[in-house]
Amino acid sequence: MWNEPYLETCCRSALHRLRLAGPLGRPDGLKDGPCLQRLAGMGLAAPRADGRFRLTAEGEARHAADVLKTRRAA
């Protein structure tokens, strides 16, 4: 059953860029800043002390499901 909030195309793209950034993270203040804030509000990203965003474990799973289109284990 589908029970996750829908991610707009721009937010899926921001999630993918965040995943590609790896441990470096994504800085706030770029064009995808509002999406990073939205992802943080959903628990998929987390702001760091240095002003960058990092991917959370939940964000990693959502990236796999929504961007990579892999199935989650039941």
Side-chain angles (χ1 to χ4, degrees):
M1 179 176 179
W2 184 80
N3 61 358
E4 296 172 337
Y6 176 75
L7 281 182
E8 296 289 338
T9 302
C10 58
C11 292
R12 281 194 307 273
S13 296
L15 182 65
H16 184 60
R17 286 189 295 275
L18 187 59
R19 172 67 175 85
L20 292 175
L24 184 61
R26 294 276 299 164
D28 194 14
L30 300 175
K31 284 189 174 186
D32 62 356
C35 288
L36 291 172
Q37 294 290 337
R38 202 170 298 121
L39 293 171
M42 297 171 70
L44 303 177
R48 299 187 327 201
D50 64 359
R52 291 180 169 266
F53 286 84
R54 68 172 178 80
L55 192 62
T56 63
E58 186 177 338
E60 188 76 48
R62 188 71 185 260
H63 177 267
D66 286 9
V67 178
L68 300 179
K69 305 289 187 195
T70 58
R71 293 185 178 195
R72 292 184 184 179

